[in-house]
Amino acid sequence: MGVSGSGKSTIAERLAQRLRWTYEDGDRFHPASNVAKMSAGQPLTDEDRWPWLRAIADEIDRVCKAGEHAVIACSALKRTYRDVLVHGRTDVRIIYLEGTEPLIAKRLAERKGHFMPPGLLASQFKTLEPPDSRENPVTVSIDAPVDAIVDNIIGQLGLSPDDGQSTGRVRA
């Protein structure tokens, strides 16, 4: 989880590859109306987000019930959003990709072809409620190379990249 431009998709995809787990980008669960709104430079409201979050929560439940493992990239900026996604599960972990607004703004300015315009970054930081210890998060700085960030996550989770059969479940 993290603001747009923090590297959620890149880190989650690389983490899933290393662990040999399924990767899902939370953006694919957005209804078309949300994508259109963000593309027009309008921040989403909580009412816009609830169906999206419920769709991701359903996927998390499906994966866990099937005994599978997945890494799902999702902004999940507020505690209430993460509560919808995790809803008391102890077998789902939050990974918070932490970065400064200037670093992320620079990354967004260089990104091509994404529906989230850089102008919405300030609204994302305004909305952001970093996870606290009650959520048992894995917090990593994004001011490092991708492989170092993934190594840090794997280490904090107590997993091995060769442990494709691990019982831990991860959501980024």
Side-chain angles (χ1 to χ4, degrees):
M1 62 131 317
V3 298
S4 182
S6 61
K8 293 180 302 293
S9 298
T10 300
I11 300 301
E13 188 170 20
R14 185 75 55 90
L15 179 63
Q17 288 171 349
R18 296 266 302 276
L19 294 172
R20 295 187 298 269
W21 292 0
T22 301
Y23 163 72
E24 291 286 349
D25 192 316
D27 286 346
R28 86 167 181 83
F29 295 90
H30 271 297
S33 58
N34 284 6
V35 174
K37 194 170 184 177
M38 288 183 286
S39 295
Q42 299 172 8
L44 297 179
T45 66
D46 283 351
E47 289 307 311
D48 295 325
R49 288 184 180 97
W50 299 131
W52 169 64
L53 292 164
R54 284 191 291 273
I56 295 170
D58 289 346
E59 177 64 7
I60 291 168
D61 289 344
R62 185 200 66 74
V63 166
C64 292
K65 185 177 180 180
E68 299 170 358
H69 304 90
V71 180
I72 301 175
C74 171
S75 56
L77 297 177
K78 290 184 180 181
R79 171 84 187 249
T80 56
Y81 304 164
R82 296 186 297 272
D83 288 346
V84 169
L85 296 171
V86 177
H87 56 91
R89 298 188 75 101
T90 58
D91 57 346
V92 176
R93 295 289 302 272
I94 301 289
I95 299 169
Y96 172 43
L97 302 179
E98 183 177 50
T100 65
E101 193 166 348
L103 172 63
I104 294 171
K106 180 178 183 277
R107 289 181 177 184
L108 283 175
E110 296 168 353
R111 187 159 75 173
K112 305 281 188 262
H114 193 274
F115 64 81
M116 179 72 160
L120 291 182
L121 181 61
S123 74
Q124 292 229 320
F125 270 96
K126 184 178 178 183
T127 301
L128 177 64
E129 297 172 358
D132 63 34
S133 61
R134 294 171 292 174
E135 295 178 83
N136 193 25
V138 170
T139 299
V140 294
S141 170
I142 62 164
D143 194 11
V146 171
D147 285 325
I149 295 168
V150 172
D151 288 343
N152 186 342
I153 293 167
I154 290 171
Q156 288 192 57
L157 290 170
L159 300 174
S160 163
D162 298 323
D163 189 12
Q165 301 304 312
S166 171
T167 59
R169 290 181 174 82
V170 179
R171 177 177 49 81

